[in-house]
């Protein structure tokens, strides 16, 4: 018994050591028709010493690629899966078996959290998911207990910041209709050693409110600080964070750890979305987190974890909120760094993805022998099927002219169709070229050959230099204790 206790203590200590080394993680979204192979993306994470990743589902290809990487993982039970899991313990058992149990331990995936839904309390959802959350948490928790994983894998509920409100941070309260369920969630989190996960987006505050002071969205100080009694707030992030602390305090959980599930800044798609602003915000955020300064209501206590949104651009995201939705990545869709960024994890700048399996270097452009006046319908068709958001105001290709617009649209569709020659016809208005038509900052992409994606990721020489020695040993100790019946 003493030996088992000692092993468990070692496992917990090692887990804490790994967490301290990688306070900043990333969101890995996959809403793209140009998906880099998961093993390439995992290589990108390792090259940049990123030790925590948050997923929005439990994609088996992604999880297999994360095996033996030493990267801590949050998998997601999607909003669409909530009803089924909430209504059936058997469905919860099946979900845990399929998406968690088979990957941890000998599977080599270090799954630490399950996100139960994603922003399920958004006001725009009109409470359609609210009644499923507690039953889903209850059933998943029971399934984890049956699988002997409940002491290692924790449940969280990523919430949007619209779950609470207050004119100043000290007046923060949860929305009236959420008070009861937030109290239940906070009670579970407190009892199980899990953080409250919140998504905070100062960019959206700036984008949606013309009166919002621009400098208040960043971390360099503001000429319009928010004064709340003795506390003065010079940036929106701190003000929002402390509003949540006040809301938690009012339901009796003011000391609950808080993790930032999503935070970031897009690089195009809106007047305030550009490379300079994105770099300034993300670097300012990271510097503030790494300084351990905390906030006025939690001095010296930074967030438990911070997951940047996002890792890669996703050109299949909905643009109903704005064109910027497809441009949140700190890397482009193919893992190329958009701007210098020090994540505070050991590398002074971001490193690019390696061995990306691009399609051949060829593009589809407007045929100069055909009139552009007849191409407008084809341009609209191409943009309906592919991503043309960079052509609009705030985009990197805005203002390239009619011929450029047509060529960009044609090429976007052509690459989405994996360079099928028929997809560059457009009734004779398109033609294939081997000369890169990119101009200035406007990049005409070449797609990714996803047929070359490996079904199972391999762990090559040196791939675990940063993380595996600690995290895999932690898993081995945990699995030993599990087999011995101690956890």
């Amino acid at each position: 018994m003493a030996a088992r206790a000692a092993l468990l203590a070692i496992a917990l200590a090692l887990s804490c050591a790994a967490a301290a080394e990688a306070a900043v993680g990333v969101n890995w979204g996959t809403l793209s028709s140009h998906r880099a192979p998961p093993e390439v993306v995992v290589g990108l994470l390792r090259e940049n010493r990123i030790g925590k990743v948050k997923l929005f589902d439990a994609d088996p290809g992604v999880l297999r690629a994360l095996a033996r990487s030493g990267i801590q993982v949050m998998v997601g039970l999607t909003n669409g899966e909530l009803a089924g899991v909430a209504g059936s313990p058997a469905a919860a058992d099946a979900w845990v078996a399929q998406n968690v149990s088979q990957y941890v331990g000998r599977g080599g995936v270090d799954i630490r959290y399950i996100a139960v839904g994603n922003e399920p309390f958004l006001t725009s959802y009109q409470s359609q998911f609210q009644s499923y959350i507690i039953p889903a948490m209850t059933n998943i928790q029971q399934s984890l207990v049956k699988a002997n994983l409940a002491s290692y894998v924790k449940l969280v509920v990523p919430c949007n910041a619209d779950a609470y409100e207050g004119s100043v941070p000290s007046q923060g309260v949860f929305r009236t209709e959420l008070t009861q369920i937030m109290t239940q969630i906070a009670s579970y989190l407190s009892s199980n050693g899990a953080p409250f996960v919140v998504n905070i987006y100062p960019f959206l505050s700036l984008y949606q409110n013309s009166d919002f002071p621009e400098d208040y969205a960043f971390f360099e100080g503001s000429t319009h600080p928010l004064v709340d009694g003795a506390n003065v707030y010079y940036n929106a992030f701190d003000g929002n964070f402390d509003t949540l602390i006040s809301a938690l305090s009012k339901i009796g959980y003011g000391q609950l750890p808080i993790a930032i599930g999503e935070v970031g800044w897009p690089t195009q798609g809106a007047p305030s979305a550009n490379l300079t602003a994105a770099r300034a915000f993300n670097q300012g955020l990271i510097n503030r987190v790494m300084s351990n300064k905390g906030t006025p209501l939690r001095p010296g206590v930074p967030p438990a974890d911070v997951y940047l949104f996002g890792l890669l651009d996703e050109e299949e995201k909905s643009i109903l909120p704005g064109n910027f939705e497809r441009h949140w990545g700190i890397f482009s869709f193919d893992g190329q760094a958009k701007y210098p960024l020090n994540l505070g994890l050991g590398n002074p700048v971001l490193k690019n993805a390696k061995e990306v399996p691009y399609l051949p270097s060829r593009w589809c452009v407007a045929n100069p022998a055909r009139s552009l006046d007849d191409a407008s319908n084809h341009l609209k068709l191409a943009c309906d099927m592919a991503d043309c958001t960079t052509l609009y105001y705030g985009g990197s290709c805005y203002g390239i002219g009619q011929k450029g617009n047509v060529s960009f649209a044609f090429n976007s569709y052509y690459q989405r169709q994996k360079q099928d020659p028929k997809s560059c016809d457009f009734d004779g208005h398109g033609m294939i070229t081997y000369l890169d038509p990119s101009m200035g900052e406007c990049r005409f992409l070449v797609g990714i050959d996803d047929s070359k994606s490996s079904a199972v990721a391999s762990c090559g020489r040196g791939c675990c230099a940063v993380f595996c020695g600690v995290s895999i040993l932690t898993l081995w100790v945990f699995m030993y204790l599990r087999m011995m019946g101690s956890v």
Side-chain angles (χ1 to χ4, degrees):
M1 184 67 71
R4 295 177 190 174
L7 285 170
L8 181 57
I10 292 172
L12 292 174
L14 291 172
S15 298
C16 292
E21 292 175 0
V24 175
V26 293
N27 285 271
W28 178 359
T30 56
L31 294 177
S32 174
S33 62
H34 305 294
R35 290 180 60 176
E39 58 268 27
V40 170
V41 180
V42 172
L44 176 68
L45 294 170
R46 290 199 300 257
E47 278 290 313
N48 288 281
R49 301 172 180 252
I50 297 171
K52 296 175 184 287
V53 66
K54 177 171 167 280
L55 309 176
F56 293 93
D57 51 22
D59 183 281
V62 170
L63 289 173
R64 285 194 296 267
L66 285 163
R68 294 169 295 281
S69 67
I71 297 170
Q72 297 178 13
V73 181
M74 180 187 299
V75 296
L77 175 72
T78 67
N79 290 342
E81 296 172 307
L82 286 171
V85 168
S88 168
D93 289 345
W95 193 94
V96 168
Q98 179 178 342
N99 299 301
V100 181
S101 300
Q102 71 165 316
Y103 295 109
V104 299
R106 292 185 180 181
V109 184
D110 191 4
I111 298 175
R112 299 296 183 95
Y113 296 107
I114 299 172
V116 181
N118 182 46
E119 299 186 330
F121 308 119
L122 270 176
T123 53
S124 59
Y125 289 153
Q126 299 180 328
S127 302
Q128 64 175 304
F129 301 117
Q130 186 169 329
S131 63
Y132 301 137
I133 295 300
I134 298 301
M137 291 182 71
T138 300
N139 288 343
I140 291 289
Q141 180 68 17
Q142 290 174 349
S143 299
L144 291 173
V145 171
K146 294 176 189 176
N148 290 324
L149 292 172
S151 63
Y152 193 76
V153 181
K154 308 297 183 181
L155 306 184
V156 294
V157 183
C159 293
N160 187 278
D162 77 346
Y164 49 92
E165 54 199 4
S167 57
V168 293
S170 62
Q171 295 179 9
V173 292
F174 287 109
R175 297 193 331 247
T176 303
E177 72 273 19
L178 297 180
T179 301
Q180 181 178 358
I181 194 169
M182 286 299 180
T183 303
Q184 293 173 289
I185 291 172
S187 176
Y188 166 84
L189 299 174
S190 179
S191 299
N192 289 275
F196 189 102
V197 177
V198 63
N199 302 338
I200 297 178
Y201 282 107
F203 167 80
L204 294 179
S205 298
L206 177 62
Y207 177 76
Q208 295 167 354
N209 185 353
S210 59
D211 295 327
F212 192 88
E214 184 171 1
D215 60 359
Y216 189 63
F218 296 89
F219 296 89
E220 302 302 318
S222 175
T223 57
H224 304 82
L226 176 63
V227 179
D228 183 11
N231 295 324
V232 181
Y233 293 86
Y234 292 94
N235 66 80
F237 180 87
D238 286 359
N240 197 310
F241 190 90
D242 276 5
T243 303
L244 172 58
I245 292 175
S246 293
L248 287 169
S249 297
K250 290 180 174 64
I251 61 172
Y253 292 95
Q255 300 304 312
L256 193 64
I258 296 172
I260 308 302
E262 297 177 25
V263 61
W265 200 280
T267 54
Q268 55 182 306
S272 54
N274 55 69
L275 294 173
T276 301
R279 180 186 182 189
F281 178 84
N282 283 329
Q283 194 63 71
L285 170 72
I286 293 165
N287 293 346
R288 181 148 187 87
V289 170
M290 293 299 182
S291 72
N292 294 326
K293 289 183 179 178
T295 62
L297 293 187
R298 280 195 184 171
V301 183
D305 289 313
V306 175
Y307 295 90
L308 295 180
F309 189 87
L311 179 62
L312 305 166
D313 282 347
E314 301 173 81
E315 97 287 346
E316 290 191 337
K317 287 196 70 179
S318 169
I319 57 173
L320 285 177
N323 289 339
F324 58 83
E325 279 294 338
R326 295 179 175 175
H327 304 282
W328 288 97
I330 57 176
F331 295 92
S332 54
F333 73 96
D334 53 353
Q336 307 306 297
K338 295 185 186 178
Y339 48 85
L341 186 66
N342 186 340
L343 295 174
L345 303 174
N347 293 337
V349 294
L350 298 175
K351 295 185 177 182
N352 293 333
K354 298 178 179 178
E355 300 181 3
V356 180
Y358 293 105
L359 293 167
S361 295
R362 53 183 177 232
W363 298 261
C364 179
V365 297
N367 186 342
R370 300 295 297 271
S371 171
L372 292 176
D373 295 335
D374 300 328
S376 58
N377 288 336
H378 297 290
L379 182 150
K380 183 178 185 304
L381 173 64
C383 289
D384 285 343
M385 301 295 291
D387 179 39
C388 293
T389 54
T390 57
L391 293 177
Y392 294 92
Y393 182 71
S396 59
C397 296
Y398 178 72
I400 61 174
Q402 184 182 10
K403 180 181 177 182
N405 289 343
V406 172
S407 292
F408 185 93
F410 283 6
N411 185 63
S412 293
Y413 180 76
Y414 174 65
Q415 302 297 339
R416 180 181 173 85
Q417 298 301 315
K418 306 303 178 185
Q419 298 186 353
D420 181 346
K422 296 179 181 179
S423 67
C424 188
D425 181 47
F426 297 104
D427 289 337
H429 287 87
M431 60 173 282
I432 295 172
T433 180
Y434 296 88
L435 298 176
D436 187 351
S438 299
M439 53 189 83
E441 295 182 355
C442 179
R443 176 189 178 192
F444 281 56
L445 67 86
V446 172
I448 290 176
D449 185 357
D450 51 18
S451 68
K452 296 182 179 179
S453 176
S454 171
V456 180
S458 61
C459 193
R461 179 178 63 85
C463 72
C464 293
V466 179
F467 306 113
C468 285
V470 170
S471 295
I472 296 303
L473 179 57
T474 302
L475 282 173
W476 287 344
V477 172
F478 170 74
M479 289 307 299
Y480 171 79
L481 292 169
R482 178 182 169 188
M483 290 186 291
M484 296 298 292
S486 297
V487 295

